[in-house]
Amino acid sequence: MKPHPHLSLLQRGIFPALTTGLLVLAGCMTVGPDYHPPEVKTPSAWLDVDKPATDAVTSRLVASPVASVDWWTVFNDPKLVQLVKEAAAQNYGVLEAEARIRSARASVISATSTLLPSLTGNGSYSYRSVPTIIGGEPHESPPKSSFSTALDAAWELDIFGGTQRSVEASRASLQSIIESRRDTLITLVAEVGADYINLRSQQELLQIARKNLADEQHTLKITQDRWQAGLASQLDYENAKAAADSTRTQIPSLDAAIRTDIYSLSLLLSRDPGALLDELGTSTGMPKTPASIPVGLPADLLRRRPDIRQAEEQLHADTANIGVATAGYYPQFSVNGSFGFSGVSIGQMTQWAAQNWSWGPSISWPLLSGGKISAQVELQKATLQADEFAYRNTVLTALQEVESAEISFTKEQERREALRDVVEDNQKAFDFSLQLYTQGQAEFINVLSAELSLSSSQNQLSQSDAAVATDLVALFKALGGGWSEFPERDATMLEYGEPPAPPLPRLPADAKIKH
């Protein structure tokens, strides 16, 4: 039966018009809500900033914009600067974060590809025998060859924007992972700074312990001489000896703490534990804090801290995912086409008459889903609401961390100044008591008490120096400093390959590996 000529014309007119209409509609609608950053109120200023300078507070907090993002340079310690740069370049945690960025970028490319048409080439060859039916009886027929080639095209039209929302969510997730790497850098450089300061503090305490031991051994010699001369009791000698022995017991613990801090720094630099022993084994003194520290305004924190930016990007992804779920209510349109050649020989396939083709639109519409689509939409809305609460809590936590670091930094300076007075007073008391004891005008218990008080206050002053520097590191971390100096290397990695990872620790030549 021949097709009706008017029907053929109708098909030739309607189908192209329908396809053209679908292409025009594609991308004209985008279901789901558009993302808008949440509004957050922040204080107009920090509580303990721009206070007048005093003799105790030698490092003031000022409301000037944060100028030094590479905060480790303000301590004027070249070794600290070197360690921070090495850690940022080769720490395994940072390298892992960069690998995850590359993975997320590939996911964005994959999601974006669904917006474009796909084209697939096919080809086949078969050699088969099909029986011929004659008079109701099968008869063997000679086998025949069959060749075919085809180009299959498909294009899913994103008329209601569900795929665009999926791409939007993927891009927001990528940005969230980028912010995660930056947050990893902030934590890393802060840990390097804190461990380095603690190392220098332990080395300073070791020097104090050794000096005190020398002083106590000198006192012990005086006490021994007076005891042998009959001017002091054996009790005085034993107390002096006990004091020296007690100080001697502190030295091994301090040596162990120093070694542990060096091991911790080696780990942050992704190096074997003993790699930094020679480099950091000699004390260079405690890093000094600058005279003024710009901290900016609370509102600046929202754009500077990566954890806040990461939480915001998660809200963006959640909002886009609502659109992805909402698109399930609507039909999905696609245009499919195929063009190829088929024949019983390769020569026959070169003839234009051997070509075959097809094209046309298709539709898929979930009319009944048992509430699955509604549940998915509600799930995404609830996820958005939960992450918005998490975002606001992240902001409040950031504000609290800055305020806590500021008050700790300021008050520790005041405590340090008071401890300086205590050390000075105890030094005078010890010198005077030893002089009176040597002259036979005071009991040894006064010397011992003054000696112990002096040692304790010296240790406290050294620890307070370290606490001031550590509190400043915590403040820089809370302000979100420490990532912008180390831009992402993932963009070049995708094109030029991965950077060389730091070398793994080498085993000694005589080491045995257990299988």
Side-chain angles (χ1 to χ4, degrees), residues 307-342:
D307 57 339
I308 296 178
R309 294 154 60 109
Q310 182 181 4
E312 185 177 332
E313 290 298 336
Q314 186 58 53
L315 293 180
H316 190 173
D318 292 341
T319 305
N321 282 328
I322 294 177
V324 174
T326 305
Y329 286 120
Y330 299 91
Q332 296 181 354
F333 296 93
S334 62
V335 177
N336 304 291
S338 178
F339 179 81
F341 293 86
S342 61

PDB file of all heavy atoms in Angstrom, residues 307-342:
ATOM      1  N   ASP A 307      36.062  28.527  55.189  1.00  0.00           N
ATOM      2  CA  ASP A 307      35.000  27.649  55.698  1.00  0.00           C
ATOM      3  C   ASP A 307      33.634  28.305  55.547  1.00  0.00           C
ATOM      4  O   ASP A 307      32.636  27.626  55.280  1.00  0.00           O
ATOM      5  CB  ASP A 307      35.264  27.263  57.151  1.00  0.00           C
ATOM      6  CG  ASP A 307      35.391  28.467  58.063  1.00  0.00           C
ATOM      7  OD1 ASP A 307      35.674  29.584  57.576  1.00  0.00           O
ATOM      8  OD2 ASP A 307      35.225  28.303  59.287  1.00  0.00           O
ATOM      9  N   ILE A 308      33.576  29.639  55.671  1.00  0.00           N
ATOM     10  CA  ILE A 308      32.315  30.347  55.437  1.00  0.00           C
ATOM     11  C   ILE A 308      31.965  30.310  53.956  1.00  0.00           C
ATOM     12  O   ILE A 308      30.814  30.058  53.575  1.00  0.00           O
ATOM     13  CB  ILE A 308      32.414  31.798  55.940  1.00  0.00           C
ATOM     14  CG1 ILE A 308      32.627  31.828  57.458  1.00  0.00           C
ATOM     15  CG2 ILE A 308      31.158  32.587  55.576  1.00  0.00           C
ATOM     16  CD1 ILE A 308      32.785  33.215  58.027  1.00  0.00           C
ATOM     17  N   ARG A 309      32.942  30.540  53.115  1.00  0.00           N
ATOM     18  CA  ARG A 309      32.708  30.500  51.665  1.00  0.00           C
ATOM     19  C   ARG A 309      32.304  29.097  51.222  1.00  0.00           C
ATOM     20  O   ARG A 309      31.459  28.934  50.332  1.00  0.00           O
ATOM     21  CB  ARG A 309      33.971  30.954  50.933  1.00  0.00           C
ATOM     22  CG  ARG A 309      34.325  32.412  51.160  1.00  0.00           C
ATOM     23  CD  ARG A 309      35.808  32.682  50.980  1.00  0.00           C
ATOM     24  NE  ARG A 309      36.280  32.354  49.658  1.00  0.00           N
ATOM     25  CZ  ARG A 309      36.652  33.268  48.743  1.00  0.00           C
ATOM     26  NH1 ARG A 309      36.558  34.546  49.026  1.00  0.00           N
ATOM     27  NH2 ARG A 309      37.099  32.892  47.576  1.00  0.00           N
ATOM     28  N   GLN A 310      32.900  28.091  51.842  1.00  0.00           N
ATOM     29  CA  GLN A 310      32.548  26.714  51.509  1.00  0.00           C
ATOM     30  C   GLN A 310      31.099  26.422  51.892  1.00  0.00           C
ATOM     31  O   GLN A 310      30.348  25.795  51.129  1.00  0.00           O
ATOM     32  CB  GLN A 310      33.488  25.747  52.225  1.00  0.00           C
ATOM     33  CG  GLN A 310      33.223  24.279  51.907  1.00  0.00           C
ATOM     34  CD  GLN A 310      34.155  23.353  52.660  1.00  0.00           C
ATOM     35  OE1 GLN A 310      34.956  23.788  53.485  1.00  0.00           O
ATOM     36  NE2 GLN A 310      34.064  22.067  52.380  1.00  0.00           N
ATOM     37  N   ALA A 311      30.700  26.867  53.087  1.00  0.00           N
ATOM     38  CA  ALA A 311      29.314  26.662  53.522  1.00  0.00           C
ATOM     39  C   ALA A 311      28.342  27.392  52.599  1.00  0.00           C
ATOM     40  O   ALA A 311      27.238  26.898  52.318  1.00  0.00           O
ATOM     41  CB  ALA A 311      29.144  27.132  54.963  1.00  0.00           C
ATOM     42  N   GLU A 312      28.741  28.559  52.101  1.00  0.00           N
ATOM     43  CA  GLU A 312      27.873  29.313  51.190  1.00  0.00           C
ATOM     44  C   GLU A 312      27.735  28.593  49.852  1.00  0.00           C
ATOM     45  O   GLU A 312      26.635  28.542  49.274  1.00  0.00           O
ATOM     46  CB  GLU A 312      28.451  30.715  50.978  1.00  0.00           C
ATOM     47  CG  GLU A 312      27.564  31.610  50.144  1.00  0.00           C
ATOM     48  CD  GLU A 312      28.118  33.016  50.003  1.00  0.00           C
ATOM     49  OE1 GLU A 312      28.838  33.464  50.908  1.00  0.00           O
ATOM     50  OE2 GLU A 312      27.824  33.656  48.973  1.00  0.00           O
ATOM     51  N   GLU A 313      28.819  28.042  49.345  1.00  0.00           N
ATOM     52  CA  GLU A 313      28.747  27.300  48.090  1.00  0.00           C
ATOM     53  C   GLU A 313      27.878  26.051  48.245  1.00  0.00           C
ATOM     54  O   GLU A 313      27.224  25.619  47.295  1.00  0.00           O
ATOM     55  CB  GLU A 313      30.143  26.914  47.620  1.00  0.00           C
ATOM     56  CG  GLU A 313      30.988  28.086  47.150  1.00  0.00           C
ATOM     57  CD  GLU A 313      30.386  28.804  45.956  1.00  0.00           C
ATOM     58  OE1 GLU A 313      29.612  28.177  45.225  1.00  0.00           O
ATOM     59  OE2 GLU A 313      30.692  29.992  45.773  1.00  0.00           O
ATOM     60  N   GLN A 314      27.879  25.456  49.431  1.00  0.00           N
ATOM     61  CA  GLN A 314      27.007  24.307  49.669  1.00  0.00           C
ATOM     62  C   GLN A 314      25.546  24.719  49.582  1.00  0.00           C
ATOM     63  O   GLN A 314      24.710  23.973  49.058  1.00  0.00           O
ATOM     64  CB  GLN A 314      27.309  23.702  51.045  1.00  0.00           C
ATOM     65  CG  GLN A 314      26.553  22.417  51.329  1.00  0.00           C
ATOM     66  CD  GLN A 314      26.835  21.343  50.313  1.00  0.00           C
ATOM     67  OE1 GLN A 314      27.987  21.012  50.045  1.00  0.00           O
ATOM     68  NE2 GLN A 314      25.787  20.784  49.717  1.00  0.00           N
ATOM     69  N   LEU A 315      25.223  25.914  50.079  1.00  0.00           N
ATOM     70  CA  LEU A 315      23.852  26.429  49.935  1.00  0.00           C
ATOM     71  C   LEU A 315      23.497  26.610  48.462  1.00  0.00           C
ATOM     72  O   LEU A 315      22.359  26.332  48.053  1.00  0.00           O
ATOM     73  CB  LEU A 315      23.722  27.766  50.671  1.00  0.00           C
ATOM     74  CG  LEU A 315      23.824  27.742  52.196  1.00  0.00           C
ATOM     75  CD1 LEU A 315      23.663  29.154  52.750  1.00  0.00           C
ATOM     76  CD2 LEU A 315      22.772  26.825  52.796  1.00  0.00           C
ATOM     77  N   HIS A 316      24.473  27.096  47.689  1.00  0.00           N
ATOM     78  CA  HIS A 316      24.238  27.268  46.248  1.00  0.00           C
ATOM     79  C   HIS A 316      23.917  25.927  45.601  1.00  0.00           C
ATOM     80  O   HIS A 316      22.963  25.804  44.816  1.00  0.00           O
ATOM     81  CB  HIS A 316      25.476  27.903  45.617  1.00  0.00           C
ATOM     82  CG  HIS A 316      25.264  28.345  44.210  1.00  0.00           C
ATOM     83  ND1 HIS A 316      26.192  29.074  43.499  1.00  0.00           N
ATOM     84  CD2 HIS A 316      24.211  28.162  43.342  1.00  0.00           C
ATOM     85  CE1 HIS A 316      25.736  29.318  42.285  1.00  0.00           C
ATOM     86  NE2 HIS A 316      24.531  28.771  42.169  1.00  0.00           N
ATOM     87  N   ALA A 317      24.706  24.902  45.924  1.00  0.00           N
ATOM     88  CA  ALA A 317      24.468  23.574  45.363  1.00  0.00           C
ATOM     89  C   ALA A 317      23.117  23.014  45.798  1.00  0.00           C
ATOM     90  O   ALA A 317      22.386  22.415  44.997  1.00  0.00           O
ATOM     91  CB  ALA A 317      25.598  22.624  45.777  1.00  0.00           C
ATOM     92  N   ASP A 318      22.755  23.218  47.067  1.00  0.00           N
ATOM     93  CA  ASP A 318      21.468  22.736  47.562  1.00  0.00           C
ATOM     94  C   ASP A 318      20.310  23.396  46.819  1.00  0.00           C
ATOM     95  O   ASP A 318      19.315  22.737  46.474  1.00  0.00           O
ATOM     96  CB  ASP A 318      21.340  23.024  49.069  1.00  0.00           C
ATOM     97  CG  ASP A 318      22.310  22.192  49.893  1.00  0.00           C
ATOM     98  OD1 ASP A 318      22.805  21.181  49.376  1.00  0.00           O
ATOM     99  OD2 ASP A 318      22.572  22.574  51.045  1.00  0.00           O
ATOM    100  N   THR A 319      20.427  24.707  46.576  1.00  0.00           N
ATOM    101  CA  THR A 319      19.371  25.425  45.860  1.00  0.00           C
ATOM    102  C   THR A 319      19.213  24.885  44.445  1.00  0.00           C
ATOM    103  O   THR A 319      18.092  24.682  43.960  1.00  0.00           O
ATOM    104  CB  THR A 319      19.685  26.929  45.824  1.00  0.00           C
ATOM    105  OG1 THR A 319      19.882  27.414  47.160  1.00  0.00           O
ATOM    106  CG2 THR A 319      18.545  27.706  45.186  1.00  0.00           C
ATOM    107  N   ALA A 320      20.340  24.647  43.777  1.00  0.00           N
ATOM    108  CA  ALA A 320      20.273  24.107  42.414  1.00  0.00           C
ATOM    109  C   ALA A 320      19.685  22.698  42.410  1.00  0.00           C
ATOM    110  O   ALA A 320      18.943  22.323  41.490  1.00  0.00           O
ATOM    111  CB  ALA A 320      21.667  24.103  41.795  1.00  0.00           C
ATOM    112  N   ASN A 321      19.971  21.913  43.432  1.00  0.00           N
ATOM    113  CA  ASN A 321      19.450  20.544  43.490  1.00  0.00           C
ATOM    114  C   ASN A 321      17.930  20.513  43.672  1.00  0.00           C
ATOM    115  O   ASN A 321      17.284  19.535  43.287  1.00  0.00           O
ATOM    116  CB  ASN A 321      20.131  19.773  44.625  1.00  0.00           C
ATOM    117  CG  ASN A 321      21.522  19.308  44.239  1.00  0.00           C
ATOM    118  OD1 ASN A 321      21.780  19.017  43.075  1.00  0.00           O
ATOM    119  ND2 ASN A 321      22.414  19.241  45.202  1.00  0.00           N
ATOM    120  N   ILE A 322      17.364  21.562  44.242  1.00  0.00           N
ATOM    121  CA  ILE A 322      15.899  21.652  44.300  1.00  0.00           C
ATOM    122  C   ILE A 322      15.342  21.718  42.881  1.00  0.00           C
ATOM    123  O   ILE A 322      14.327  21.073  42.552  1.00  0.00           O
ATOM    124  CB  ILE A 322      15.457  22.876  45.130  1.00  0.00           C
ATOM    125  CG1 ILE A 322      15.860  22.694  46.603  1.00  0.00           C
ATOM    126  CG2 ILE A 322      13.947  23.086  45.017  1.00  0.00           C
ATOM    127  CD1 ILE A 322      15.532  23.883  47.472  1.00  0.00           C
ATOM    128  N   GLY A 323      16.015  22.490  42.013  1.00  0.00           N
ATOM    129  CA  GLY A 323      15.590  22.566  40.620  1.00  0.00           C
ATOM    130  C   GLY A 323      15.735  21.234  39.906  1.00  0.00           C
ATOM    131  O   GLY A 323      14.886  20.854  39.089  1.00  0.00           O
ATOM    132  N   VAL A 324      16.799  20.500  40.227  1.00  0.00           N
ATOM    133  CA  VAL A 324      16.995  19.186  39.617  1.00  0.00           C
ATOM    134  C   VAL A 324      15.848  18.253  39.988  1.00  0.00           C
ATOM    135  O   VAL A 324      15.296  17.539  39.142  1.00  0.00           O
ATOM    136  CB  VAL A 324      18.341  18.575  40.062  1.00  0.00           C
ATOM    137  CG1 VAL A 324      18.478  17.144  39.532  1.00  0.00           C
ATOM    138  CG2 VAL A 324      19.507  19.430  39.577  1.00  0.00           C
ATOM    139  N   ALA A 325      15.475  18.271  41.269  1.00  0.00           N
ATOM    140  CA  ALA A 325      14.376  17.410  41.723  1.00  0.00           C
ATOM    141  C   ALA A 325      13.043  17.871  41.142  1.00  0.00           C
ATOM    142  O   ALA A 325      12.203  17.042  40.753  1.00  0.00           O
ATOM    143  CB  ALA A 325      14.325  17.398  43.247  1.00  0.00           C
ATOM    144  N   THR A 326      12.826  19.188  41.060  1.00  0.00           N
ATOM    145  CA  THR A 326      11.562  19.713  40.529  1.00  0.00           C
ATOM    146  C   THR A 326      11.381  19.361  39.062  1.00  0.00           C
ATOM    147  O   THR A 326      10.248  19.164  38.594  1.00  0.00           O
ATOM    148  CB  THR A 326      11.517  21.240  40.717  1.00  0.00           C
ATOM    149  OG1 THR A 326      11.723  21.559  42.098  1.00  0.00           O
ATOM    150  CG2 THR A 326      10.178  21.809  40.268  1.00  0.00           C
ATOM    151  N   ALA A 327      12.471  19.259  38.325  1.00  0.00           N
ATOM    152  CA  ALA A 327      12.376  18.924  36.899  1.00  0.00           C
ATOM    153  C   ALA A 327      11.762  17.553  36.683  1.00  0.00           C
ATOM    154  O   ALA A 327      11.286  17.249  35.581  1.00  0.00           O
ATOM    155  CB  ALA A 327      13.764  18.992  36.259  1.00  0.00           C
ATOM    156  N   GLY A 328      11.747  16.707  37.713  1.00  0.00           N
ATOM    157  CA  GLY A 328      11.136  15.399  37.585  1.00  0.00           C
ATOM    158  C   GLY A 328       9.648  15.444  37.340  1.00  0.00           C
ATOM    159  O   GLY A 328       9.061  14.457  36.864  1.00  0.00           O
ATOM    160  N   TYR A 329       8.994  16.568  37.694  1.00  0.00           N
ATOM    161  CA  TYR A 329       7.551  16.704  37.434  1.00  0.00           C
ATOM    162  C   TYR A 329       7.240  16.860  35.943  1.00  0.00           C
ATOM    163  O   TYR A 329       6.109  16.625  35.520  1.00  0.00           O
ATOM    164  CB  TYR A 329       7.000  17.936  38.152  1.00  0.00           C
ATOM    165  CG  TYR A 329       6.869  17.782  39.648  1.00  0.00           C
ATOM    166  CD1 TYR A 329       7.565  18.621  40.511  1.00  0.00           C
ATOM    167  CD2 TYR A 329       6.029  16.818  40.207  1.00  0.00           C
ATOM    168  CE1 TYR A 329       7.436  18.507  41.883  1.00  0.00           C
ATOM    169  CE2 TYR A 329       5.888  16.701  41.573  1.00  0.00           C
ATOM    170  CZ  TYR A 329       6.602  17.539  42.414  1.00  0.00           C
ATOM    171  OH  TYR A 329       6.467  17.425  43.773  1.00  0.00           O
ATOM    172  N   TYR A 330       8.205  17.285  35.144  1.00  0.00           N
ATOM    173  CA  TYR A 330       7.952  17.703  33.772  1.00  0.00           C
ATOM    174  C   TYR A 330       8.437  16.649  32.780  1.00  0.00           C
ATOM    175  O   TYR A 330       9.301  15.840  33.089  1.00  0.00           O
ATOM    176  CB  TYR A 330       8.650  19.042  33.498  1.00  0.00           C
ATOM    177  CG  TYR A 330       8.156  20.154  34.389  1.00  0.00           C
ATOM    178  CD1 TYR A 330       8.779  20.417  35.613  1.00  0.00           C
ATOM    179  CD2 TYR A 330       7.060  20.928  34.014  1.00  0.00           C
ATOM    180  CE1 TYR A 330       8.321  21.427  36.438  1.00  0.00           C
ATOM    181  CE2 TYR A 330       6.601  21.948  34.833  1.00  0.00           C
ATOM    182  CZ  TYR A 330       7.230  22.192  36.047  1.00  0.00           C
ATOM    183  OH  TYR A 330       6.764  23.184  36.865  1.00  0.00           O
ATOM    184  N   PRO A 331       7.873  16.686  31.565  1.00  0.00           N
ATOM    185  CA  PRO A 331       8.298  15.711  30.550  1.00  0.00           C
ATOM    186  C   PRO A 331       9.707  15.997  30.059  1.00  0.00           C
ATOM    187  O   PRO A 331      10.199  17.129  30.120  1.00  0.00           O
ATOM    188  CB  PRO A 331       7.270  15.900  29.429  1.00  0.00           C
ATOM    189  CG  PRO A 331       6.770  17.291  29.601  1.00  0.00           C
ATOM    190  CD  PRO A 331       6.775  17.559  31.073  1.00  0.00           C
ATOM    191  N   GLN A 332      10.353  14.946  29.578  1.00  0.00           N
ATOM    192  CA  GLN A 332      11.678  15.062  28.986  1.00  0.00           C
ATOM    193  C   GLN A 332      11.576  14.812  27.482  1.00  0.00           C
ATOM    194  O   GLN A 332      11.007  13.804  27.052  1.00  0.00           O
ATOM    195  CB  GLN A 332      12.636  14.056  29.622  1.00  0.00           C
ATOM    196  CG  GLN A 332      12.891  14.299  31.098  1.00  0.00           C
ATOM    197  CD  GLN A 332      13.856  13.293  31.684  1.00  0.00           C
ATOM    198  OE1 GLN A 332      14.252  12.345  31.016  1.00  0.00           O
ATOM    199  NE2 GLN A 332      14.236  13.501  32.937  1.00  0.00           N
ATOM    200  N   PHE A 333      12.100  15.738  26.706  1.00  0.00           N
ATOM    201  CA  PHE A 333      12.062  15.645  25.256  1.00  0.00           C
ATOM    202  C   PHE A 333      13.466  15.359  24.731  1.00  0.00           C
ATOM    203  O   PHE A 333      14.460  15.838  25.295  1.00  0.00           O
ATOM    204  CB  PHE A 333      11.548  16.946  24.633  1.00  0.00           C
ATOM    205  CG  PHE A 333      10.122  17.262  25.003  1.00  0.00           C
ATOM    206  CD1 PHE A 333       9.838  18.067  26.098  1.00  0.00           C
ATOM    207  CD2 PHE A 333       9.069  16.754  24.259  1.00  0.00           C
ATOM    208  CE1 PHE A 333       8.529  18.363  26.440  1.00  0.00           C
ATOM    209  CE2 PHE A 333       7.758  17.048  24.597  1.00  0.00           C
ATOM    210  CZ  PHE A 333       7.480  17.846  25.692  1.00  0.00           C
ATOM    211  N   SER A 334      13.517  14.607  23.664  1.00  0.00           N
ATOM    212  CA  SER A 334      14.793  14.348  23.017  1.00  0.00           C
ATOM    213  C   SER A 334      14.574  14.206  21.529  1.00  0.00           C
ATOM    214  O   SER A 334      13.459  13.896  21.068  1.00  0.00           O
ATOM    215  CB  SER A 334      15.462  13.084  23.586  1.00  0.00           C
ATOM    216  OG  SER A 334      14.648  11.948  23.353  1.00  0.00           O
ATOM    217  N   VAL A 335      15.603  14.453  20.761  1.00  0.00           N
ATOM    218  CA  VAL A 335      15.591  14.291  19.308  1.00  0.00           C
ATOM    219  C   VAL A 335      16.636  13.249  18.958  1.00  0.00           C
ATOM    220  O   VAL A 335      17.793  13.362  19.385  1.00  0.00           O
ATOM    221  CB  VAL A 335      15.891  15.615  18.591  1.00  0.00           C
ATOM    222  CG1 VAL A 335      15.945  15.399  17.076  1.00  0.00           C
ATOM    223  CG2 VAL A 335      14.842  16.663  18.947  1.00  0.00           C
ATOM    224  N   ASN A 336      16.225  12.218  18.218  1.00  0.00           N
ATOM    225  CA  ASN A 336      17.110  11.121  17.865  1.00  0.00           C
ATOM    226  C   ASN A 336      17.184  10.994  16.350  1.00  0.00           C
ATOM    227  O   ASN A 336      16.202  11.228  15.641  1.00  0.00           O
ATOM    228  CB  ASN A 336      16.618   9.799  18.463  1.00  0.00           C
ATOM    229  CG  ASN A 336      16.461   9.877  19.972  1.00  0.00           C
ATOM    230  OD1 ASN A 336      17.438   9.964  20.685  1.00  0.00           O
ATOM    231  ND2 ASN A 336      15.219   9.861  20.455  1.00  0.00           N
ATOM    232  N   GLY A 337      18.334  10.636  15.861  1.00  0.00           N
ATOM    233  CA  GLY A 337      18.496  10.453  14.422  1.00  0.00           C
ATOM    234  C   GLY A 337      19.558   9.416  14.120  1.00  0.00           C
ATOM    235  O   GLY A 337      20.439   9.148  14.952  1.00  0.00           O
ATOM    236  N   SER A 338      19.436   8.830  12.944  1.00  0.00           N
ATOM    237  CA  SER A 338      20.409   7.814  12.529  1.00  0.00           C
ATOM    238  C   SER A 338      20.575   7.875  11.017  1.00  0.00           C
ATOM    239  O   SER A 338      19.595   8.074  10.281  1.00  0.00           O
ATOM    240  CB  SER A 338      19.950   6.416  12.963  1.00  0.00           C
ATOM    241  OG  SER A 338      20.860   5.427  12.519  1.00  0.00           O
ATOM    242  N   PHE A 339      21.810   7.708  10.567  1.00  0.00           N
ATOM    243  CA  PHE A 339      22.086   7.699   9.131  1.00  0.00           C
ATOM    244  C   PHE A 339      23.198   6.690   8.876  1.00  0.00           C
ATOM    245  O   PHE A 339      24.218   6.677   9.581  1.00  0.00           O
ATOM    246  CB  PHE A 339      22.528   9.076   8.639  1.00  0.00           C
ATOM    247  CG  PHE A 339      22.859   9.109   7.169  1.00  0.00           C
ATOM    248  CD1 PHE A 339      21.852   9.209   6.227  1.00  0.00           C
ATOM    249  CD2 PHE A 339      24.183   9.022   6.745  1.00  0.00           C
ATOM    250  CE1 PHE A 339      22.153   9.223   4.867  1.00  0.00           C
ATOM    251  CE2 PHE A 339      24.491   9.042   5.392  1.00  0.00           C
ATOM    252  CZ  PHE A 339      23.476   9.143   4.453  1.00  0.00           C
ATOM    253  N   GLY A 340      22.978   5.805   7.878  1.00  0.00           N
ATOM    254  CA  GLY A 340      23.993   4.805   7.609  1.00  0.00           C
ATOM    255  C   GLY A 340      23.759   4.094   6.294  1.00  0.00           C
ATOM    256  O   GLY A 340      22.860   4.437   5.509  1.00  0.00           O
ATOM    257  N   PHE A 341      24.561   3.069   6.058  1.00  0.00           N
ATOM    258  CA  PHE A 341      24.484   2.264   4.847  1.00  0.00           C
ATOM    259  C   PHE A 341      24.475   0.798   5.249  1.00  0.00           C
ATOM    260  O   PHE A 341      25.071   0.400   6.260  1.00  0.00           O
ATOM    261  CB  PHE A 341      25.689   2.527   3.930  1.00  0.00           C
ATOM    262  CG  PHE A 341      25.723   3.901   3.355  1.00  0.00           C
ATOM    263  CD1 PHE A 341      26.311   4.958   4.054  1.00  0.00           C
ATOM    264  CD2 PHE A 341      25.154   4.160   2.125  1.00  0.00           C
ATOM    265  CE1 PHE A 341      26.345   6.228   3.526  1.00  0.00           C
ATOM    266  CE2 PHE A 341      25.187   5.432   1.575  1.00  0.00           C
ATOM    267  CZ  PHE A 341      25.773   6.475   2.281  1.00  0.00           C
ATOM    268  N   SER A 342      23.799  -0.023   4.434  1.00  0.00           N
ATOM    269  CA  SER A 342      23.782  -1.469   4.673  1.00  0.00           C
ATOM    270  C   SER A 342      23.732  -2.197   3.338  1.00  0.00           C
ATOM    271  O   SER A 342      23.231  -1.668   2.336  1.00  0.00           O
ATOM    272  CB  SER A 342      22.577  -1.864   5.526  1.00  0.00           C
ATOM    273  OG  SER A 342      21.359  -1.541   4.877  1.00  0.00           O
TER     274      SER A 342
END
